[in-house]
Amino acid sequence: SYTPSQAPHSTLVTGAHTPSRRATMLSQFFVLSPRGDTIISKDYRGDSPPGAAEAFFRRCREERSCPPCFRINDVTYVWVKQHGLMFVCNTRFNASPSTIIELLNRLVKVFKDYCGVLSEEAIRKNFILIYELLDEIVDFGYPQGTSTENLKACIYNEPLLVDAQKLRVPSLSTKTVSSSAVHKPIGSRKTGTIGGGAARNEIFVDILERLTMLFAANGSVVNSTIDGCIQMKSYLAGNPELRLALNEDLVVGKGGPYGTVVLDDCNFHECVRLDDFEAQRLLSFVPPEGEFVVLNYRTAGDFRAPFRALPQIE
């Protein structure tokens, strides 16, 4: 046997230290509460400095607007804030911040799929499940896979249900369910159900839009944009193929006649097939299990604002 330092210079001992692999090499992952308490902490390589979570939270508290990526001594911290919680990774290598941020967002999605509700209470109650997911998603600092459906075959712990502390909006029709209905974990690998109940084939569809408007002093609109998405959460069994029909007069990337729906740009989930999109505005896809965004879109055209802002100075 020989050590890497004894190997010939022309021999590649292992692929774990190539530049492409180092781009996503993590040292530690932890989740902090708004008070700075460490809820989850997973050390993958043993090279993270002691008190890393405390040093990170102290830096965020000292700076009013803490950047998503910064260095303390020779350790790089990358973090995102979701649902009031801070999800943080650190590394001693020259890793890609954008790749780590994407990994953190996917970790948040997986946690939400398996816990149903992403909150401090849900993570504390399901910490064994969270650690099991972290062991399967990241191995020795290298991401392995973040697919909710593929991880289901490796996860054995059952989630503990937590009620979502959200305002319940009354249903507008008999075909519309409460918004809290989507806050339940995916089925277990053994029974496909939660709590031993009967399995139900359900898929929830939400259209989420964020309206950004800039008003002049006289109340007129200077600039306005809409960023939206069609989000789904699937509890369907058997991976059926679905079709989603959009407006037939939908126009993407160019102006159209009066009354048409014009989008400046849009992008689709990787599972979507666009064979019939140009001709019939149909999206065909096999939905992955859990929550996913079918379509992201953006439009900056003229539209009627649902509100007006009229400033008054006394």
Side-chain angles (χ1 to χ4, degrees):
S1 61
Y2 58 89
T3 61
S5 60
Q6 296 171 332
H9 293 291
S10 60
T11 303
L12 182 63
V13 178
T14 176
H17 298 288
T18 59
S20 60
R21 295 293 299 274
R22 285 186 177 182
T24 54
M25 186 183 296
L26 310 178
S27 297
Q28 187 181 14
F29 169 82
F30 50 89
V31 181
L32 300 182
S33 70
R35 304 176 303 276
D37 300 331
T38 302
I39 306 175
I40 298 292
S41 179
K42 181 69 175 180
D43 193 347
Y44 287 104
R45 302 183 58 85
D47 58 353
S48 183
E54 291 78 6
F56 165 82
F57 185 75
R58 186 165 53 250
R59 175 70 174 272
C60 291
R61 189 172 53 182
E62 291 173 354
E63 298 187 15
R64 174 173 294 183
S65 180
C66 191
C69 178
F70 57 85
R71 288 178 63 87
I72 299 178
N73 297 328
D74 59 342
V75 180
T76 302
Y77 293 82
V78 184
W79 68 290
V80 297
K81 189 173 185 179
Q82 297 281 355
H83 302 270
L85 304 175
M86 289 175 279
F87 299 83
V88 192
C89 282
N90 64 15
T91 178
R92 289 184 178 271
F93 296 89
N94 186 23
S96 170
S98 59
T99 304
I100 298 180
I101 289 177
E102 177 66 21
L103 173 64
L104 289 173
N105 288 325
R106 295 199 179 193
L107 283 173
V108 171
K109 173 188 173 299
V110 171
F111 294 163
K112 186 177 179 181
D113 286 342
Y114 278 88
C115 296
V117 179
L118 188 63
S119 63
E120 181 177 351
E121 180 186 4
I123 292 180
R124 290 187 183 276
K125 283 188 175 182
N126 294 281
F127 73 96
I128 298 179
L129 175 61
I130 297 296
Y131 279 115
E132 187 178 18
L133 288 169
L134 290 174
D135 286 336
E136 297 295 338
I137 294 175
V138 182
D139 183 21
F140 196 59
Y142 298 108
Q144 303 298 313
T146 57
S147 171
T148 299
E149 191 169 1
N150 293 339
L151 289 169
K152 191 175 178 180
C154 308
I155 303 302
Y156 289 83
N157 286 283
E158 298 285 346
L160 300 177
L161 301 182
V162 177
D163 293 332
Q165 301 297 327
K166 289 182 178 279
L167 178 64
R168 295 182 180 271
V169 180
S171 299
L172 300 179
S173 66
T174 56
K175 296 182 179 181
T176 304
V177 298
S178 171
S179 59
S180 61
V182 75
H183 297 137
K184 61 180 180 179
I186 63 172
S188 67
R189 66 185 297 274
K190 298 178 181 179
T191 62
T193 61
I194 295 298
R200 297 182 61 183
N201 281 327
E202 297 176 324
I203 185 166
F204 296 90
V205 182
D206 292 302
I207 300 178
L208 309 177
E209 291 187 339
R210 182 176 67 250
L211 177 62
T212 304
M213 305 196 71
L214 177 62
F215 292 94
N218 59 0
S220 61
V221 178
V222 178
N223 186 21
S224 58
T225 59
I226 294 178
D227 296 282
C229 69
I230 300 178
Q231 181 174 283
M232 293 186 178
K233 190 166 187 179
S234 174
Y235 298 94
L236 300 176
N239 296 327
E241 181 179 357
L242 303 181
R243 288 189 174 186
L244 178 65
L246 304 178
N247 297 49
E248 294 182 357
D249 57 352
L250 179 66
V251 178
V252 180
K254 57 183 179 179
Y258 179 78
T260 58
V261 179
V262 181
L263 302 181
D264 291 345
D265 55 73
C266 62
N267 60 74
F268 304 89
H269 191 271
E270 57 188 12
C271 70
V272 177
R273 296 197 305 272
L274 304 176
D275 301 337
D276 301 326
F277 178 72
E278 291 295 335
Q280 306 178 25
R281 294 305 188 217
L282 284 177
L283 303 180
S284 302
F285 58 95
V286 177
E289 194 163 9
E291 190 174 89
F292 65 101
V293 176
V294 181
L295 167 67
N296 287 293
Y297 60 89
R298 181 178 183 273
T299 178
D302 295 332
F303 51 85
R304 184 178 179 181
F307 59 87
R308 292 182 63 87
L310 302 175
Q312 292 182 353
I313 301 178
E314 298 180 357

